[in-house]
Amino acid sequence: MRKASVAKRKTALHPPGRRLLDYQLIHVEEGNGTLCINERCYSLRPGHLALIQPNEWNSLHSDGPFRFAFVHFDVFFQQFRSHPDSAIHIDLDLNLSSEFARMTQPRLNGFPQVNIPVILQFAKTVPIVNTINQIAGLWLRYNPLAQLEADQLTSTLVLSILREFMSIGKEVPRSMGLSLEWVPTYIQAHINEPITVADLAELNGYSVSHFSQLFRHRYGLSVHQFVLESRISLVKKLLVTTRLSLVDLASASGFANRYHLSKAFKKLTGRTPTEFRDNEPPTK
């Protein structure tokens, strides 16, 4: 979950275009509007559900009072997402810079067998709308338990969307390979284990060279650098949230030993792990 609420506009709404870093699901409650995605526009009426996927140029307009509930959310784990906002305001003919490309959620429509329209039509709309309203209400309580419940309900929403718009049972040709979007989650899940480019390429059905090229194009880093930065990011978190020794930190983050960890940490951050821990405020 990134954010959820109900937006109320008493007058005309004509904001500039933007590109999202995450997903936004909209339910129109009152009034009429127009949602433009890239160069195509869709009319919005009360009861309509619309999904804006990441990195789609979009703008939402209305000529009068307009009320809609919305949910911003991520689908995939992202180690490097640090931008506080959900959107980047950018011209239609421009793409996200490499700085933001790593922070942008993968598009579900980029996966084989998935084709989700902008305007969503479900066999049963009421449960979807009720879930959106529940999420918005929970999120606005601003407490950890409510936000965890909102996260859980958002996962239910994503599954409902995929069940409705994913073609189950169609075989995906091996030559198409798999999307690379699972790789960061896989790396995070296996962060304390040896991770090689060859293993990742084999899991994806690509040669090492082709996989490496695709990965660098998608994430702006080599696989080795991505894994290294993921490990250092975990070490930073553990340094300020635990009192683990360097030996335990190395084991938890996949470094061969504490000397390897210290050398890599100093090279990437300019400080030793001890200096980092001593100069960062502890967190709970």
Side-chain angles (χ1 to χ4, degrees), residues 170-274:
K170 291 184 179 180
E171 185 177 351
V172 178
R174 182 66 173 176
S175 59
M176 290 180 65
L178 300 172
S179 168
L180 299 186
E181 314 310 342
W182 62 273
V183 178
T185 301
Y186 179 91
I187 290 172
Q188 185 68 17
H190 298 268
I191 198 70
N192 63 335
E193 304 170 15
I195 299 172
T196 69
V197 181
D199 289 340
L200 294 174
E202 183 179 359
L203 286 170
N204 213 82
Y206 290 124
S207 68
V208 171
S209 60
H210 188 44
F211 176 81
S212 298
Q213 181 181 10
L214 291 174
F215 189 92
R216 183 180 287 276
H217 182 265
R218 172 64 183 87
Y219 295 105
L221 293 171
S222 68
V223 178
H224 173 75
Q225 190 67 24
F226 190 98
V227 172
L228 180 61
E229 291 194 14
S230 297
R231 285 178 169 153
I232 295 298
S233 179
L234 174 59
V235 171
K236 286 180 178 178
K237 180 178 179 181
L238 293 176
L239 281 169
V240 297
T241 58
T242 74
R243 301 308 300 175
L244 288 175
S245 67
L246 290 183
V247 172
D248 291 334
L249 286 171
S251 177
S253 56
F255 287 99
N257 51 57
R258 65 189 183 96
Y259 303 107
H260 185 201
L261 163 60
S262 296
K263 183 178 179 180
F265 194 94
K266 178 70 178 290
K267 184 176 181 180
L268 207 61
T269 69
R271 289 186 282 178
T272 67
T274 302

Side-chain angles (χ1 to χ4, degrees), residues 96-165:
L96 289 175
S97 68
S98 58
E99 175 189 357
F100 292 113
R102 289 196 299 166
M103 302 180 194
T104 307
Q105 282 281 291
R107 296 177 69 257
L108 285 170
N109 280 7
F111 287 80
Q113 302 175 294
V114 180
N115 185 23
I116 304 173
V118 173
I119 305 300
L120 306 178
Q121 294 183 333
F122 292 89
K124 295 181 179 180
T125 302
V126 172
I128 303 296
V129 173
N130 288 342
T131 301
I132 293 172
N133 291 334
Q134 278 183 275
I135 291 170
L138 286 166
W139 191 255
L140 293 174
R141 292 183 190 175
Y142 301 110
N143 70 69
L145 179 59
Q147 293 187 5
L148 284 172
E149 290 184 59
D151 280 335
Q152 187 175 36
L153 287 172
T154 303
S155 297
T156 301
L157 265 184
V158 173
L159 288 173
S160 297
I161 292 171
L162 287 172
R163 288 192 185 105
E164 194 77 20
F165 300 104

